[in-house]
Amino acid sequence: MIRLSKILLFGLAAFLASWVVPWAYGLAEGGRDFSPFTLYSSVSGNFVWLESSERGVARRDATGRSFTDKQFDSLLPFFYYRQLVADGRFPDSIRGIPVTPRTAQNGTFMFRSSPRQVNADRPAIYPLLESMSGRVDLESPSDVFRIDRHGITFIDCATNSTEEEKSATFGETMRRKGFVFPARTIAGNPTVRKEYDEGFFITDSTGRLFHLKQTVGRPFVRSVELPEGIEPVHIFVTEFRGRQYFAFLVDASGGFHVLTTGDYATHRVDVPPVDPTRQGIMIVGNPFDWTLKISDPDGAEHLYAIDGTTFGRIAEMHYPTPEPTALEQAARYLFPFRLTFTSRFDNEVRPRLSDFSPWALILGAVLAVVYCTIRRQNPVRLAVPCLFIFLFGLYGFISLMLFAKQK
């Protein structure tokens, strides 16, 4: 009984240490250096970036030139248009095309997607805003809808009762347009914190794409014809101020597409396949071009300059995976595994074991043999307590080292 109690004690200690000590180790080490903030310049035709230096912030481009803050503002007239307007330096034209501050205000947009956002649990019910309320500010609806194999159902939030007439009207309209229930993907921005509402883009059970919104209390449903072989898996409804795009789409093969307004045309963006469940995506765009950044899980970043009209690739730039620091390399020999409860890929809180290190296990086995030799007892008999003693002792030793370092 005493032996079992010791095993449980050492097991609990090792469990807690494997969670707390690597976290403290990483905290003492500090984070890796971030890659410079980089954008494609519509003026110079090169990537330009901001980076830290001994004198503060350095502004450089891909040719190695350095710039003052005012010169740098002029290289990115759409990104810094407010500063240029305030200084009276906003250009009359770019690449021979006339531009105004209003062009910059309406044509500039920013989009960001992270794996935690994509992998988050989806709600079963959605609010459908009125897209033509006649008011400047959007208002939250008094009902929500769900879609299942029986159709679309609207539920009054105050009474929790089904709105039979509205459900039948929307359901019949969707069926008449060719929608086959249930839905595979339902994407939208159900919030009033935006300038206008485009409703939802939904794929039905056959994979066809539909646009659904509410207009003056009536259903607006349109089937969106997609090019052959494109089946949207991830849909990001944009609702940018300029209303130039409906949504960004990622198909089953990782192709990235943009759905333009007016013609509902789908255009392939010339970038390598992306996986939003594992990679971060950021776009800073203007009427002339986009800077599209794809961030890999290992820290590598890939930047692409995309033509704002043809969506072809103009230029590209890559930041490799950061080199591991000396403390990160030492951690491979110190920590047999790492216990965490959260992840940058989802919002779930649950225990996760990662970063298994065979080198640390080998070191642990050597120390266990040394311990058994000193104790002069059967290694098999002491195998379990030796393992727990090793883990507890190793994590305890690192904790003391970190404590001494902080002092």
Side-chain angles (χ1 to χ4, degrees), residues 95-110:
R95 302 179 189 171
I97 300 176
V99 293
T100 64
R102 188 168 184 83
T103 303
Q105 183 181 29
N106 292 334
T108 302
F109 68 90
M110 181 175 292

Side-chain angles (χ1 to χ4, degrees), residues 341-352:
F341 288 88
T342 58
S343 170
R344 66 179 184 274
F345 297 113
D346 58 58
N347 294 321
E348 297 181 6
V349 179
R350 55 183 173 84
R352 313 160 194 262

